[in-house]
Amino acid sequence: MRALATRIRLERIADVNAHEGPVYVDEEHALYFTTVRTHVVAIKRLDLSTGEVAVVVEDANVANGMTLDRRGRLLVCEQGTTITPARISSLDRATGERETVVDAIDGLPLNSPNDVVVRADGTIWFTDPSYGYLQGFRPEPAVPDRVYRVDPSSGRIAAVADGFDKPNGLAFSLDQQTLYVADNGAPHHLLAFDVEDDGRLADRRVVAVGTPEHPDGLKVDTEDRIYASSRDGIQIFTPEGELAGEIDLPGVVNFTFGGRGGSTLFITTDTAVWAAVLNAKGA
C-alpha cells in the first residue's frame, strides 16, 4: 500500500448545519447532506463551485445516512417519528419526488435506519439501530438492531446480521467481498464480514476498536484502507486493523470521498463542512 501523506491540507469550506449523510455528486460538483436533528431534519445541497447552500427537502422525516443508487437517485435513511414510519426512501434529485424502498421486515416496522450503501450488483444494504427509541422520537423496537439487504428488483428484504449494540456506518471493501460495519455502541468495534455468493454474511470478526461514541462513518479508498470517524477526527486502518494514519479534526460526524479525481474527503461536523485533500482516492 502507498503511504498516506504526512501532511493533509484541511480547509473549512462552509459554515452550515451539516450533520450526516454526505454524498458527493460529480456531475453537479455538489455535496448533499442531512442537518442536525432539532424540530425537523432537512436535506441540503452545497454547491462546491459557488458555496451556495439550498434546501432540497425541508422536512425529511429525521433523515440520517444517504448514498446514491445505480440510477443516480439519493437513497435516504429516514429514521421516522412516533407518527411517521421509518424507511429507506429514494429521492429524485431533479424533481424532489420521494418513494419508499422498504419500511418493514416480515410485517414489522423498522427501528431507525442509520446508514446505507449500494453494492456493485445493485443490492441495497443498511443498518437499523434503535437510536430513535433511545432518543425518544420512535416507538419501542419491534425488531433487533440489524443489518439488512434489499434486492431492488424484487423488493425483497433480508436480515443478514444481528448481535450488535448499535450498528452504524457501512462500507464494502474494494473487491466487494467484505462488508465493514461500525458498531458504535459498547464496545465500539469496527467489524468485518465475508459476503458470500448468495448475499449472506459469514466469518464475523473485529478489525479494530474505535473510540468512545465511535466508529460512525466508514469509507474505503482504492488502496483498501478503511476510514472511520473517531473522537479526535478520522482513523485510517489497513484491512488487518493496523492504524495507517489519522486526520486530526475533533467533531467529525461523517464524510465522503469526492471532488475532481475523487481525492478530497468532504467532512461534516454539525457546524461546518470541511475538505481534506489526500493522496488517496475513494473506492
Short mmCIF file of all heavy atoms in Angstrom, two decimals, residues 164-194:
data_model
loop_
_atom_site.label_atom_id
_atom_site.label_comp_id
_atom_site.label_asym_id
_atom_site.label_seq_id
_atom_site.Cartn_x
_atom_site.Cartn_y
_atom_site.Cartn_z
N PHE A 164 -25.60 -6.92 17.33
CA PHE A 164 -24.87 -5.66 17.52
C PHE A 164 -25.38 -4.93 18.76
O PHE A 164 -26.48 -5.21 19.26
CB PHE A 164 -25.08 -4.73 16.32
CG PHE A 164 -24.65 -5.31 15.00
CD1 PHE A 164 -25.59 -5.88 14.16
CD2 PHE A 164 -23.33 -5.28 14.61
CE1 PHE A 164 -25.22 -6.40 12.93
CE2 PHE A 164 -22.94 -5.80 13.40
CZ PHE A 164 -23.88 -6.37 12.55
N ASP A 165 -24.60 -3.96 19.22
CA ASP A 165 -25.12 -3.00 20.17
C ASP A 165 -25.83 -1.91 19.38
O ASP A 165 -27.05 -1.79 19.43
CB ASP A 165 -23.99 -2.41 21.02
CG ASP A 165 -24.51 -1.51 22.14
OD1 ASP A 165 -25.59 -0.90 21.96
OD2 ASP A 165 -23.86 -1.40 23.19
N LYS A 166 -25.08 -1.15 18.58
CA LYS A 166 -25.69 -0.11 17.74
C LYS A 166 -24.98 -0.07 16.38
O LYS A 166 -24.02 0.69 16.19
CB LYS A 166 -25.61 1.27 18.42
CG LYS A 166 -26.52 1.39 19.63
CD LYS A 166 -27.97 1.34 19.23
CE LYS A 166 -28.89 1.20 20.43
NZ LYS A 166 -28.85 -0.15 21.02
N PRO A 167 -25.42 -0.89 15.42
CA PRO A 167 -24.79 -0.87 14.09
C PRO A 167 -25.00 0.47 13.43
O PRO A 167 -26.09 1.02 13.45
CB PRO A 167 -25.52 -1.99 13.34
CG PRO A 167 -26.87 -2.07 14.00
CD PRO A 167 -26.61 -1.76 15.45
N ASN A 168 -23.94 0.99 12.82
CA ASN A 168 -24.00 2.35 12.29
C ASN A 168 -23.46 2.39 10.86
O ASN A 168 -24.13 1.97 9.94
CB ASN A 168 -23.23 3.28 13.24
CG ASN A 168 -23.60 4.72 13.10
OD1 ASN A 168 -23.43 5.31 12.04
ND2 ASN A 168 -24.13 5.33 14.16
N GLY A 169 -22.24 2.88 10.66
CA GLY A 169 -21.70 3.03 9.32
C GLY A 169 -21.44 1.71 8.61
O GLY A 169 -21.21 0.68 9.25
N LEU A 170 -21.47 1.77 7.27
CA LEU A 170 -21.24 0.60 6.42
C LEU A 170 -20.29 0.97 5.28
O LEU A 170 -20.32 2.09 4.79
CB LEU A 170 -22.55 0.12 5.77
CG LEU A 170 -23.65 -0.48 6.63
CD1 LEU A 170 -24.91 -0.62 5.79
CD2 LEU A 170 -23.23 -1.82 7.17
N ALA A 171 -19.49 0.00 4.86
CA ALA A 171 -18.65 0.19 3.66
C ALA A 171 -18.22 -1.18 3.15
O ALA A 171 -17.94 -2.08 3.95
CB ALA A 171 -17.43 1.04 3.97
N PHE A 172 -18.16 -1.31 1.83
CA PHE A 172 -17.63 -2.52 1.22
C PHE A 172 -16.15 -2.35 0.92
O PHE A 172 -15.69 -1.24 0.60
CB PHE A 172 -18.37 -2.85 -0.08
CG PHE A 172 -19.72 -3.46 0.13
CD1 PHE A 172 -20.88 -2.71 -0.04
CD2 PHE A 172 -19.84 -4.79 0.50
CE1 PHE A 172 -22.13 -3.27 0.17
CE2 PHE A 172 -21.09 -5.37 0.70
CZ PHE A 172 -22.23 -4.60 0.53
N SER A 173 -15.42 -3.46 0.98
CA SER A 173 -14.03 -3.46 0.56
C SER A 173 -13.96 -3.22 -0.94
O SER A 173 -14.97 -3.26 -1.65
CB SER A 173 -13.38 -4.81 0.90
OG SER A 173 -14.05 -5.86 0.22
N LEU A 174 -12.76 -3.00 -1.43
CA LEU A 174 -12.56 -2.67 -2.83
C LEU A 174 -13.11 -3.77 -3.75
O LEU A 174 -13.72 -3.47 -4.79
CB LEU A 174 -11.08 -2.44 -3.10
CG LEU A 174 -10.68 -1.83 -4.43
CD1 LEU A 174 -11.31 -0.46 -4.62
CD2 LEU A 174 -9.16 -1.74 -4.53
N ASP A 175 -12.92 -5.03 -3.38
CA ASP A 175 -13.40 -6.13 -4.22
C ASP A 175 -14.85 -6.53 -3.91
O ASP A 175 -15.35 -7.49 -4.49
CB ASP A 175 -12.48 -7.35 -4.11
CG ASP A 175 -12.45 -7.95 -2.70
OD1 ASP A 175 -13.23 -7.50 -1.83
OD2 ASP A 175 -11.65 -8.88 -2.48
N GLN A 176 -15.49 -5.81 -2.98
CA GLN A 176 -16.90 -6.03 -2.63
C GLN A 176 -17.14 -7.36 -1.91
O GLN A 176 -18.29 -7.76 -1.71
CB GLN A 176 -17.79 -5.97 -3.88
CG GLN A 176 -17.66 -4.70 -4.69
CD GLN A 176 -18.62 -3.63 -4.26
OE1 GLN A 176 -19.83 -3.76 -4.44
NE2 GLN A 176 -18.10 -2.56 -3.71
N GLN A 177 -16.08 -8.03 -1.50
CA GLN A 177 -16.22 -9.34 -0.86
C GLN A 177 -16.24 -9.25 0.67
O GLN A 177 -16.46 -10.26 1.34
CB GLN A 177 -15.08 -10.27 -1.29
CG GLN A 177 -15.06 -10.55 -2.79
CD GLN A 177 -16.38 -11.10 -3.29
OE1 GLN A 177 -16.86 -12.13 -2.81
NE2 GLN A 177 -16.99 -10.41 -4.25
N THR A 178 -16.01 -8.07 1.20
CA THR A 178 -16.05 -7.85 2.65
C THR A 178 -16.95 -6.66 2.94
O THR A 178 -16.86 -5.63 2.27
CB THR A 178 -14.64 -7.57 3.20
OG1 THR A 178 -13.78 -8.67 2.89
CG2 THR A 178 -14.67 -7.36 4.71
N LEU A 179 -17.80 -6.81 3.94
CA LEU A 179 -18.62 -5.70 4.43
C LEU A 179 -18.11 -5.29 5.79
O LEU A 179 -18.01 -6.11 6.71
CB LEU A 179 -20.09 -6.11 4.52
CG LEU A 179 -21.02 -5.01 5.07
CD1 LEU A 179 -21.14 -3.85 4.08
CD2 LEU A 179 -22.41 -5.58 5.39
N TYR A 180 -17.78 -4.01 5.92
CA TYR A 180 -17.37 -3.45 7.20
C TYR A 180 -18.57 -2.78 7.87
O TYR A 180 -19.35 -2.09 7.20
CB TYR A 180 -16.26 -2.42 7.02
CG TYR A 180 -14.99 -3.00 6.43
CD1 TYR A 180 -14.61 -2.69 5.12
CD2 TYR A 180 -14.18 -3.85 7.17
CE1 TYR A 180 -13.45 -3.22 4.57
CE2 TYR A 180 -13.02 -4.39 6.63
CZ TYR A 180 -12.66 -4.08 5.33
OH TYR A 180 -11.51 -4.60 4.78
N VAL A 181 -18.72 -3.00 9.16
CA VAL A 181 -19.82 -2.42 9.92
C VAL A 181 -19.26 -1.74 11.17
O VAL A 181 -18.50 -2.36 11.93
CB VAL A 181 -20.85 -3.49 10.34
CG1 VAL A 181 -22.01 -2.85 11.12
CG2 VAL A 181 -21.38 -4.24 9.12
N ALA A 182 -19.63 -0.50 11.37
CA ALA A 182 -19.24 0.22 12.58
C ALA A 182 -20.29 -0.03 13.65
O ALA A 182 -21.45 0.34 13.48
CB ALA A 182 -19.11 1.71 12.29
N ASP A 183 -19.90 -0.67 14.73
CA ASP A 183 -20.81 -0.85 15.88
C ASP A 183 -20.37 0.16 16.93
O ASP A 183 -19.42 -0.03 17.66
CB ASP A 183 -20.70 -2.27 16.43
CG ASP A 183 -21.77 -2.59 17.45
OD1 ASP A 183 -22.46 -1.65 17.90
OD2 ASP A 183 -21.94 -3.77 17.81
N ASN A 184 -21.10 1.31 16.99
CA ASN A 184 -20.61 2.37 17.86
C ASN A 184 -21.30 2.42 19.20
O ASN A 184 -21.19 3.39 19.94
CB ASN A 184 -20.63 3.74 17.16
CG ASN A 184 -22.03 4.29 16.96
OD1 ASN A 184 -23.01 3.70 17.38
ND2 ASN A 184 -22.11 5.44 16.31
N GLY A 185 -22.01 1.33 19.57
CA GLY A 185 -22.34 1.13 20.97
C GLY A 185 -21.16 0.43 21.62
O GLY A 185 -20.15 0.12 20.98
N ALA A 186 -21.25 0.16 22.92
CA ALA A 186 -20.17 -0.58 23.57
C ALA A 186 -20.04 -1.94 22.88
O ALA A 186 -21.06 -2.59 22.63
CB ALA A 186 -20.49 -0.75 25.05
N PRO A 187 -18.84 -2.38 22.53
CA PRO A 187 -17.53 -1.81 22.84
C PRO A 187 -16.89 -1.06 21.68
O PRO A 187 -15.67 -1.10 21.51
CB PRO A 187 -16.71 -3.05 23.19
CG PRO A 187 -17.24 -4.10 22.27
CD PRO A 187 -18.71 -3.78 22.06
N HIS A 188 -17.66 -0.39 20.83
CA HIS A 188 -17.10 0.48 19.78
C HIS A 188 -16.18 -0.27 18.82
O HIS A 188 -15.04 0.10 18.61
CB HIS A 188 -16.36 1.67 20.41
CG HIS A 188 -17.13 2.36 21.49
ND1 HIS A 188 -18.29 3.06 21.23
CD2 HIS A 188 -16.91 2.44 22.82
CE1 HIS A 188 -18.75 3.55 22.38
NE2 HIS A 188 -17.95 3.19 23.35
N HIS A 189 -16.72 -1.32 18.23
CA HIS A 189 -15.92 -2.16 17.34
C HIS A 189 -16.12 -1.81 15.88
O HIS A 189 -17.22 -1.45 15.45
CB HIS A 189 -16.33 -3.63 17.52
CG HIS A 189 -15.73 -4.28 18.72
ND1 HIS A 189 -16.20 -5.46 19.24
CD2 HIS A 189 -14.67 -3.92 19.50
CE1 HIS A 189 -15.48 -5.80 20.29
NE2 HIS A 189 -14.56 -4.88 20.47
N LEU A 190 -15.06 -1.94 15.10
CA LEU A 190 -15.14 -1.97 13.65
C LEU A 190 -15.11 -3.45 13.26
O LEU A 190 -14.12 -4.14 13.51
CB LEU A 190 -13.96 -1.22 13.02
CG LEU A 190 -13.81 -1.34 11.51
CD1 LEU A 190 -15.06 -0.86 10.78
CD2 LEU A 190 -12.58 -0.58 11.04
N LEU A 191 -16.22 -3.91 12.69
CA LEU A 191 -16.39 -5.33 12.38
C LEU A 191 -16.27 -5.57 10.89
O LEU A 191 -16.51 -4.67 10.07
CB LEU A 191 -17.76 -5.82 12.86
CG LEU A 191 -18.07 -5.63 14.35
CD1 LEU A 191 -19.53 -5.93 14.63
CD2 LEU A 191 -17.17 -6.51 15.20
N ALA A 192 -15.91 -6.81 10.52
CA ALA A 192 -15.85 -7.22 9.12
C ALA A 192 -16.58 -8.54 8.95
O ALA A 192 -16.57 -9.39 9.85
CB ALA A 192 -14.40 -7.36 8.66
N PHE A 193 -17.22 -8.70 7.78
CA PHE A 193 -17.93 -9.92 7.42
C PHE A 193 -17.56 -10.29 5.99
O PHE A 193 -17.44 -9.42 5.12
CB PHE A 193 -19.45 -9.73 7.47
CG PHE A 193 -20.00 -9.37 8.82
CD1 PHE A 193 -19.98 -8.05 9.26
CD2 PHE A 193 -20.56 -10.34 9.65
CE1 PHE A 193 -20.51 -7.71 10.50
CE2 PHE A 193 -21.09 -10.00 10.88
CZ PHE A 193 -21.06 -8.69 11.31
N ASP A 194 -17.43 -11.58 5.72
CA ASP A 194 -17.30 -12.04 4.35
C ASP A 194 -18.69 -12.05 3.70
O ASP A 194 -19.67 -12.47 4.33
CB ASP A 194 -16.73 -13.46 4.30
CG ASP A 194 -15.27 -13.51 4.74
OD1 ASP A 194 -14.61 -12.45 4.72
OD2 ASP A 194 -14.81 -14.60 5.12
#
